[in-house]
Amino acid sequence: MTTKQKPRLVHRVHLYHVPVDHLVFDQGGNFLITGASDSRMFVLDARPSKGFEIIGWIEAPGAIVNLSTQYHTESKQVKVLVLCSKTEREINEGNVLLLLTLFVQQITDSSGCVDVYGCLFKDALHSCLYEIPHALCSCVLAINKIFGYCQQRKVLQSFRIPESGVKPSNAQEAVHLILEKEAGGHLQSPAFLQLSPHQSWLATVGRDGLLRICEISTMDRYVQLQCHSCWQGGVGSVCFTPDSQTLITSGLRDGSLVCSRLRLKLSGAGKTNAATQYAQSVADSFESVVSSENTILSKMTDWDPQTQSLTRCSSFLTREGKMSHEAEQEENYFVSPASSTWLDGKLDAVLQEETQQYAETKKNLRKNIKVLRDTIKAMMQENESLPDMEKLGHQEFNLDVEEQQRMQLEGKQEVTRVRKEIEMENLAKCYQREILKKECWDSMQVKGKAIKAFHSENEVKNYPMKERTEKELEELQRIETMRQIEQENSQLQEMILNTISGDKEEEEAEDSKTESPALTGSLSALYGGVNPHLYSQFNLHIREQKINQITLLKDVIYKVKSTFNKEFEAVYKQKEQEIYRFREKNKRISEIMSELDLSETLWEPSLTDNECPERALTVTDSEIKVEKYLTPEQKEKEEQLREEDKQQRLAAKSDNMRDQALSVMMGGVLELKKEDVLRMEVPRPEFMSKPEVQWTEEERKSFKEFEKKAKELSEEKEKYRKTLETEMKKLLTSIKEATQMFDEKLTKLFERKVKSEMVIYQEELKITNLVHSIQTEEELLSREKQMSLKLEKARIVKNEIGEELKKHKETVDEFREEYDNTVTEDKLLDKGFRKEFFDVPGHIIDQLYKLYKRRPRVQRIKTQTENNQFKEGALLGTAPSDGLSLMMKAMEELDAPENMPEGLDPFVWERFCLARRAKVESEQKVKLKALTLAEMQAFLQRRTDEDEKAQLEIKNLIDELNSICEEKMRFRLDSMVQIVLQQGQVEVEAGDFIANFTNALLIHRKVTEDLNSTIRALGDQKNASMVECKDFRKGIIQQEWDHRRMRMQLEDLSNKARDIQTLRITQEIQDYLNETSNDNRVSKQLTTLETTLALQKTTHQKKVEACKKQIKHLDRQGVQMQEKSAALDLKVADMEITVAERRNIYEAVAMGDNQETEAEKNYQDIILRKKLLNIAGAQSEEILTLQAEVEKLRMKNFPSLSQLNYN
C-alpha cells in the first residue's frame, strides 16, 4: 500500500484448501503468520525485498482458534501464541496453547531450516505446549503473561508463563497453566482481545457491542464504550493504532467501522504520554527499514491473474507430460492447477524428483514381477488339468512362506485365545450356577415342586419356604413372651373387675373374649395359622404394637404355608407309591400280554420335571448337542476303558458247557412252570406221515391217545388263557380306579390351596395396611420434628432480635439526650450574643446580629438515605466533615475585613468572627446529630418490624405444629380395620370341574315337582297377604299425609289472611288494583321513566356545563392568585427585613424590661396551662359519661347496624 488512496495487488499465493481464519504480523515487521482450521501455520517473510516468500509451515496440535505475536527487540525473537482445539466438532474454543519462539536471524538468513516438504525443522524454533483449565475463545500474548477470555464462564483470565527452566519430561507432554487472576467479562459471548502496542492496555470487544479497555496490571476496567448494536451481532474485531490513542472496531453483521479516540483525564496524562513516546521510539527505530522497503514495494508491478495462470498451467502440463508414461503403473499425487496450493506444489516437486531418481529401479522391478506372474499363471493352468487328488489349493500358491507361517501362528493364537475365553465364560457360568443354587435351592427349607393329576391338566404347587434365621426366631419368641405377659396381666385385671362387678358381668366378659373370624379380618385359624398372641384390630394404636403385629402375622402366614406343605408332602408320597404300584402291575400285564401274544402299548405313569425339580440341576448326555472336547489325557483314559470293556465281553462269550447243556435239554430251566402251558405241544407220532390205510392197530391206538392228549391240552390252554385275561382286566381296572381316586384327592388339595392362598392374601393385606399406617405415622412424626426445630430456631432468632432491639433503643435514647443537650447549647449561644457584645453600640449590634445570622451558600449535606440505601451498622461517612470544612472555607470570605461594619473596632470584629465560627460549628454539629438521629430511628424501626415479623412467624409455626399434633392423634384413634364378609352366589362359566356324587341321593322327578308346586302356592298366598297388608298400611299413611297437608294449608291461609289485614295500601298498589290491563300500566310506567330519564340527562348536561365554567373561572382565579402570591412574596421579603430591623430596635430599646416581661409571660403561661388541664379533665369526664350513655343505648337497640354489617 504505497498510496493510501489507491491500494494495489502486487502478490498473491494460494496456501490452503480452506478459508484463511487468522492473519498476523509480528510487531517487528519480520514475519506474516497465517492460520486456518486444518491445523497448519504458514510463516511468510513480510518484507517486499524478499518477495513475500514462504519460509515454511508448522503443524499445530489441533484446529487453530486464535493467533497472537510478541516481538523482542533486544534478542530479535518473535514469540507466537497459538490457541488450538483438539475436538473436531467445536473449533470456536480451545484449551491447548502452543508457544513458539522464532529466531529472526536464523530463519531469514538460512535456507536450511526447512525440509523438502517445506516444514520448519524443530531445531529452528523453540516450542512449549500448555494446557489451561477452561476453554478460551480468544487470547493475547504479553510479556511473561497470557490473557484469555473464557466464553463459558464469561470472564477475562490471566496466566503467568512458567520460566524457561520449567520443561516437561516429554516433548509431547503439556504443562498445566495456573489461573492467576480473573475479571468480569461481557454479557454476550464470544469476545475478542487485543493488546496495545506499548503492552500496557488490553482491549476487549464482544457480541454485546461494548468496547472495554483495562490495564494489564490490575485488569480493572476504566474505559467502556458502546460501539455497535448487540442486535446486529456486536463487535467482530478491534485494533489499536501505533500510538495506542485510537481504536478501530468492525461490526460483525452491520458492515461498519467505528473509530474511537481515547481522551483521558489529568490523572491519565502520564499513561498517554508513555504510549505516545513508545510509538515515537518504534517509528524512529523502523524509519530506515520502512523507507527502503517502501521504495522496493513501489517498484513492484501489479499482479496479473491471466499471466500467472498461464505460467502455472504451462509448468503443470510440462510436469504432466513427463509423468504420463508411468500413469498406468502407479498412482501419483495429482491436483488440478486451479485448486493447487503452495504445499501441493512442494509435494509434486518431491514426487517428481523421487520418480526421476528411482525410474530405472522401478522399471527392472516391474519386469521381474511380470515374469514371475507369467510363471505362476502357467503353474496354475497346469494344476487345473491334474486329477482332484493331485490338485493344490489356491492358497498353496502363496509363495510367501513367512506369511503362511505367520497366519498359521495367528490362527493357533486365536484358537488358544478363544479356548481361554470359553473356559473363563464356562467358569463364570459355573460360579453363577453355584450362586443361584446356593441362594435359590440349597437355602430353601422346602423346595418348590408340583403334583400333576393322572387324567387331567390339574396341577398343584407347594409353597417354597426358606428356613427362618435365628434373629427372626428370637424376635418372634420375644414378642410372643411379651404378648403372653400382657394377656395374663389383662386377664388378672378383668378377673379383679369381674369379682367386683358380679357373675353376670363375668359371663358377658367371657362371651366378649371369643372374637369372630369376621372381626379378626381373616380365616387363618381354620387353616393352621393359629396364634393366640395376635393383637385385636381395635387395639392397634401404638407404632410398637403395629410392628409386633406384623411379625406375628408373618408367623401366621408361615404356619399356614407349613400346614399346607405337610398335606402336600403326604399326597406327593402317595403319588410316588401309586406310581411304584403301577409299575409292578404293568410288569405283570406285560408278561400276560407276552404270553397271550398281544401287542398293545401300556400307559406308563411317571413324574414330570415340575414334580422333580432337582432334574434341572443335572445335565444328561442327551441334552448336549455338540461334540465333547477331550484333552489328550482324557482320550487316553477313554481308550483304556474301551479296551477293558472289550476284554470283559470276550470273556463273557467264552464256552460254558453247563449252560449249553441245560439249554439243549430243558430250555435253560430245571423245572416246568405253569406259565409254560401255552408253549407246550403234544409230540406227533412218526407214523402219521404215512397214509392212514397203512396204519397198524397199535398205531391206531396210539393215534387215539394222541388225539385225546391234544384235546386235553387245548382245553387246558383255553382255561389258562381265560384266567390270564381276567387277571389283566382286574389289573387295568385297579389302575384306573387308583388314578381316579388320586385325582379326586388332588382336587381336594387344589381347593385347599385356593383357600390357603385366600387366607395368605388376607394376612398380607393386613400387613400392607399396617405398614402404610406406620409410614404415615413416621411422616407425621418427622413433620412434627421439623416444625419443632423451626420453632426453636425462630424463638432463638426472636430472642436475639429482642436483645438487639433493646440495646438499640437504649442507644437511641442516649443519643436523643445528647442531641437535646446540643440543641440547648446552640440556643444558649444565640441568646448570649447580645450579652457577649454588650459594649458595642446599639446601631452596630444590630448589624453584627445580622452578620451573625448570615451564612454562606455551600452544598447541602445529603444523608445516606438520599445517596444510597441504608446499611446496617453504618454511620455517616466523610460527607458531614467535608461539609463543615467547606463551610469553614466559605466563612473565611465572610470574616474578611471588607465585610466589617464601619466604626467597629477590629479587635471586636475578631472576637465577633470567633463567636460566629463557634455558632456555625454548633449548628453543623446539631445538623449532623439530627441526621444521625433520623437514621438511627429508621434503623430502629426496621429492627422493630423484624421483631414483629419474627413474632408472627412463631405464631404461624405454633399453629401449624398444633394442627400436626391434632392430625397425629386423629390418625392414631382412627385405625383401619379389616372385616371378612360373606359373599353371595357368583355365576361362573362352565369348565372342566370334577363332580363328586358320593353323598348324592337319587329320587323321582315327580316328587320334586309336587314339592315345588306346593312351595309356589304357599309363596303366592304369602305374597298376596303381604300385598294386602302393604296396601292397607299405604292407605293409613296416605290419610296421615292428607291430614298433615290440610293442617299446613290451614296455617298458610291463616297467615295470608293476617298479612292481608296488616297490608299497607300504597298509591302504586291502588293503581295496580284499579288498572284492568297490566300492559297499559307497564307502558305508562315506561313513558314516565323515559320522560324522567330525558329530564335527568338535560339536567346533568347543564350541571356539567356549569361545572366546566366554574372550573375555568377557578383556573383564572388560580392564575390571578399565583400572580398575587408572587407579588406578596416579594412584599413579604421586604417586610421581613423591615420587621427584623424593627425587632432589633425594639429589643435594643426594651432590653431592660425584657426580664420582667419574660417573667410575666411565663407566669401567664403557667396559669393558662393550669386552666387547660382543668378543662381537659372536665372534658374527659364528660366523654366517659357520654360513652356510658352510648353503651346503654346500644344495648337497648341490640343488635346494632354495625354488628349486622359485620356479621
Side-chain angles (χ1 to χ4, degrees), residues 1075-1093:
E1075 188 68 38
T1076 58
S1077 177
N1078 190 25
D1079 295 336
N1080 293 332
R1081 183 177 61 82
V1082 173
S1083 62
K1084 287 181 181 180
Q1085 290 180 355
L1086 291 175
T1087 304
T1088 305
L1089 291 173
E1090 289 176 356
T1091 306
T1092 305
L1093 181 63

Side-chain angles (χ1 to χ4, degrees), residues 302-338:
D302 294 348
W303 188 83
D304 188 2
Q306 295 182 356
T307 306
Q308 296 292 335
S309 61
L310 290 174
T311 305
R312 181 177 296 181
C313 290
S314 62
S315 63
F316 178 79
L317 292 173
T318 304
R319 186 167 65 252
E320 184 181 5
K322 293 180 181 179
M323 298 168 59
S324 60
H325 67 281
E326 298 176 354
E328 296 181 357
Q329 303 298 332
E330 62 179 352
E331 296 181 358
N332 294 317
Y333 184 81
F334 175 76
V335 291
S336 63

Side-chain angles (χ1 to χ4, degrees), residues 515-612:
E515 193 172 9
S516 64
L519 297 179
T520 57
S522 65
L523 304 174
S524 58
L526 304 177
Y527 297 94
V530 179
N531 193 335
H533 305 296
L534 285 172
Y535 289 92
S536 175
Q537 293 188 96
F538 301 96
N539 297 330
L540 292 173
H541 303 296
I542 306 174
R543 181 175 179 273
E544 287 73 14
Q545 292 179 348
K546 295 176 182 179
I547 295 173
N548 296 338
Q549 183 77 347
I550 290 172
T551 305
L552 294 175
L553 290 175
K554 289 180 180 179
D555 180 63
V556 169
I557 294 173
Y558 186 85
K559 289 180 178 179
V560 172
K561 291 182 179 180
S562 300
T563 304
F564 176 78
N565 286 341
K566 290 179 181 178
E567 298 179 3
F568 180 87
E569 286 296 329
V571 177
Y572 186 79
K573 290 179 180 179
Q574 182 181 354
K575 184 173 182 179
E576 288 181 344
Q577 293 175 1
E578 293 293 338
I579 291 174
Y580 179 75
R581 295 193 192 101
F582 295 160
R583 288 176 182 174
E584 294 295 331
K585 292 178 181 180
N586 283 337
K587 286 181 182 179
R588 178 59 186 160
I589 292 171
S590 61
E591 291 176 359
I592 294 172
M593 291 176 67
S594 63
E595 291 178 3
L596 296 177
D597 294 333
L598 297 176
S599 59
E600 293 181 3
T601 57
L602 293 176
W603 176 60
E604 291 286 344
S606 61
L607 296 176
T608 60
D609 292 339
N610 290 337
E611 293 174 326
C612 296

Side-chain angles (χ1 to χ4, degrees), residues 257-521:
L257 292 174
V258 177
C259 183
S260 304
R261 180 74 177 176
L262 295 178
R263 293 180 180 178
L264 301 179
K265 297 181 181 180
L266 296 176
S267 59
K271 301 176 183 179
T272 305
N273 295 333
T276 305
Q277 292 176 2
Y278 179 81
Q280 187 64 35
S281 63
V282 171
D284 295 341
S285 61
F286 289 103
E287 183 178 2
S288 60
V289 178
V290 170
S291 60
S292 61
E293 294 294 336
N294 283 340
T295 303
I296 298 172
L297 184 61
S298 61
K299 294 179 181 179
M300 295 179 69
T301 58
D302 294 348
W303 188 83
D304 188 2
Q306 295 182 356
T307 306
Q308 296 292 335
S309 61
L310 290 174
T311 305
R312 181 177 296 181
C313 290
S314 62
S315 63
F316 178 79
L317 292 173
T318 304
R319 186 167 65 252
E320 184 181 5
K322 293 180 181 179
M323 298 168 59
S324 60
H325 67 281
E326 298 176 354
E328 296 181 357
Q329 303 298 332
E330 62 179 352
E331 296 181 358
N332 294 317
Y333 184 81
F334 175 76
V335 291
S336 63
S339 62
S340 63
T341 63
W342 175 84
L343 187 58
D344 295 337
K346 280 283 186 180
L347 293 175
D348 290 342
V350 172
L351 290 175
Q352 184 178 2
E353 184 179 354
E354 289 180 354
T355 303
Q356 293 176 358
Q357 183 178 358
Y358 300 103
E360 190 66 27
T361 306
K362 289 183 179 180
K363 186 175 180 181
N364 295 331
L365 288 174
R366 292 192 192 96
K367 185 176 180 180
N368 294 333
I369 290 170
K370 186 176 181 181
V371 173
L372 187 60
R373 186 187 298 119
D374 295 338
T375 305
I376 293 174
K377 283 184 178 179
M379 293 172 64
M380 293 180 70
Q381 290 176 0
E382 183 181 357
N383 183 58
E384 291 295 331
S385 61
L386 295 175
D388 294 338
M389 294 295 293
E390 298 180 5
K391 278 185 180 180
L392 297 176
H394 288 284
Q395 68 274 9
E396 296 186 19
F397 284 96
N398 187 3
L399 301 181
D400 194 350
V401 180
E402 295 179 355
E403 183 67 19
Q404 282 186 351
Q405 294 177 355
R406 187 186 63 80
M407 293 177 66
Q408 291 176 0
L409 183 61
E410 288 180 356
K412 291 180 180 179
Q413 292 177 354
E414 184 67 19
V415 169
T416 305
R417 185 186 63 79
V418 172
R419 181 178 289 116
K420 288 183 179 179
E421 289 181 357
I422 294 172
E423 289 177 356
M424 293 302 295
E425 185 178 356
N426 292 337
L427 183 61
K429 289 180 178 179
C430 291
Y431 177 74
Q432 186 178 6
R433 170 187 173 277
E434 291 298 327
I435 293 296
L436 292 174
K437 183 174 178 293
K438 182 179 179 181
E439 294 291 333
C440 304
W441 183 259
D442 296 339
S443 63
M444 301 300 291
Q445 183 181 9
V446 179
K447 272 76 172 178
K449 54 186 175 182
I451 301 175
K452 189 175 182 182
F454 288 111
H455 300 291
S456 66
E457 296 298 327
N458 188 15
E459 189 179 47
V460 181
K461 296 181 179 180
N462 67 340
Y463 291 106
M465 297 173 63
K466 285 187 177 182
E467 187 176 1
R468 289 190 285 189
T469 60
E470 295 181 359
K471 187 176 180 180
E472 293 176 350
L473 294 174
E474 289 177 359
E475 181 68 16
L476 179 62
Q477 183 66 27
R478 183 187 66 81
I479 294 172
E480 288 180 350
T481 305
M482 184 181 66
R483 281 293 298 150
Q484 187 176 1
I485 295 170
E486 291 177 356
Q487 289 174 354
E488 290 179 357
N489 186 16
S490 62
Q491 288 177 3
L492 289 173
Q493 292 178 359
E494 289 177 359
M495 288 174 62
I496 294 170
L497 292 174
N498 290 335
T499 54
I500 296 172
S501 60
D503 297 333
K504 186 176 179 180
E505 294 181 359
E506 183 178 359
E507 292 176 359
E508 293 178 357
E510 290 177 358
D511 295 337
S512 63
K513 286 181 182 179
T514 58
E515 193 172 9
S516 64
L519 297 179
T520 57

Side-chain angles (χ1 to χ4, degrees), residues 1050-1066:
L1050 179 61
E1051 292 178 0
D1052 291 339
L1053 291 173
S1054 301
N1055 293 330
K1056 288 180 180 178
R1058 192 183 303 110
D1059 293 339
I1060 291 170
Q1061 291 176 1
T1062 59
L1063 181 64
R1064 182 180 178 183
I1065 306 299
T1066 60

